[in-house]
Amino acid sequence: MALSFTQKQRVEEIVLTTAIAIYVIALTAYAIGKHNSFTTYAWDLGIFDQAFWTTVNQDRWFEYTCERHLTESSSFFGVHFSPLLFTLIPAYYMFQRAETLLLLQSILLGLSAIPIYRIGRIYLEKKQVCLFALLYLLNPALHGVNSYDFHVQAFLPLTLGYLTYYELTGRTPEMLLAAFLSLAVQEQVVYILAAFALWKALR
């Protein structure tokens, strides 16, 4: 018996969810394995681990010590403006380990396959949509981000993915929210958004 459109979409979503779960488990295991073999660094895993630890234990907002020559406050916010980091504090508060940051990074990058899947539904045949998202999760460039310590830019594939999806579907309020969240990742994102605005104007 042929599956209905709703049933096919449900199957696609199950496949995508399973693929994301496998990605998160595999890449987290790899990243933690690297950490346990002493191949992670102060830049940037040590920076963020110490910055989160001082935030939750000493009420010193994202303070760390290895770049005091760059900022008098010793705060990460003296170097970069990344307020979206505050969303990760509850998870780090419960599990105060560098491994927590590596897991969170894998989750963020894995979830970025969702807007990719939704963009695929706009342009691709139904049979190709899941493959499109799966190929994204298999992209070595994505693995490279996941394999090198922890970086706040791990938020960007998710926020910019939704920014693109909402623009393509004409959902302006959601697009503006995604743009705001992207700006909250780091100050240099303003250049990406400027290029996005130019693309939108030309489109």
Side-chain angles (χ1 to χ4, degrees), residues 87-156:
T87 63
L88 304 183
I89 289 176
Y92 189 87
Y93 179 82
M94 291 186 291
F95 306 99
Q96 297 180 29
R97 302 172 58 89
E99 290 89 338
T100 301
L101 299 179
L102 297 174
L103 170 61
L104 291 171
Q105 178 167 256
S106 296
I107 292 172
L108 288 169
L109 293 173
L111 290 176
S112 65
I114 297 174
I116 297 297
Y117 165 78
R118 292 185 175 182
I119 291 169
R121 290 189 65 84
I122 300 173
Y123 292 106
L124 301 175
E125 298 292 333
K126 294 181 180 65
K127 294 181 180 179
Q128 300 171 335
V129 175
C130 261
L131 179 61
F132 182 57
L134 294 178
L135 288 174
Y136 171 78
L137 290 173
L138 291 172
N139 189 336
L142 190 69
H143 303 167
V145 175
N146 221 146
S147 302
Y148 178 45
D149 290 358
F150 173 87
H151 297 87
V152 68
Q153 291 89 345
F155 279 101
L156 286 176

Side-chain angles (χ1 to χ4, degrees), residues 22-194:
I22 292 171
Y23 174 90
V24 171
I25 292 169
L27 270 295
T28 300
Y30 177 74
I32 291 177
K34 281 192 65 181
H35 180 63
N36 291 338
S37 63
F38 303 101
T39 51
T40 52
Y41 307 95
W43 284 268
D44 282 336
L45 183 59
I47 285 175
F48 284 106
D49 188 32
Q50 186 181 16
F52 276 100
W53 191 90
T54 56
T55 300
V56 302
N57 292 292
Q58 298 181 342
D59 294 327
R60 293 187 294 172
W61 295 107
F62 291 95
E63 184 174 320
Y64 64 104
T65 55
C66 68
E67 287 183 334
R68 284 186 169 169
H69 60 290
L70 296 178
T71 171
E72 292 183 8
S73 67
S74 296
S75 170
F76 181 77
F77 282 77
V79 181
H80 293 295
F81 182 69
S82 304
L84 212 55
L85 287 173
F86 284 97
T87 63
L88 304 183
I89 289 176
Y92 189 87
Y93 179 82
M94 291 186 291
F95 306 99
Q96 297 180 29
R97 302 172 58 89
E99 290 89 338
T100 301
L101 299 179
L102 297 174
L103 170 61
L104 291 171
Q105 178 167 256
S106 296
I107 292 172
L108 288 169
L109 293 173
L111 290 176
S112 65
I114 297 174
I116 297 297
Y117 165 78
R118 292 185 175 182
I119 291 169
R121 290 189 65 84
I122 300 173
Y123 292 106
L124 301 175
E125 298 292 333
K126 294 181 180 65
K127 294 181 180 179
Q128 300 171 335
V129 175
C130 261
L131 179 61
F132 182 57
L134 294 178
L135 288 174
Y136 171 78
L137 290 173
L138 291 172
N139 189 336
L142 190 69
H143 303 167
V145 175
N146 221 146
S147 302
Y148 178 45
D149 290 358
F150 173 87
H151 297 87
V152 68
Q153 291 89 345
F155 279 101
L156 286 176
L158 184 61
T159 61
L160 292 177
Y162 272 110
L163 175 72
T164 305
Y165 170 69
Y166 290 136
E167 158 59 19
L168 293 172
T169 53
R171 295 164 65 177
T172 301
E174 292 91 339
M175 183 196 70
L176 293 175
L177 175 60
F180 174 78
L181 292 174
S182 297
L183 281 173
V185 173
Q186 198 162 310
E187 68 280 359
Q188 289 97 332
V189 176
V190 68
Y191 301 115
I192 299 175
L193 293 184

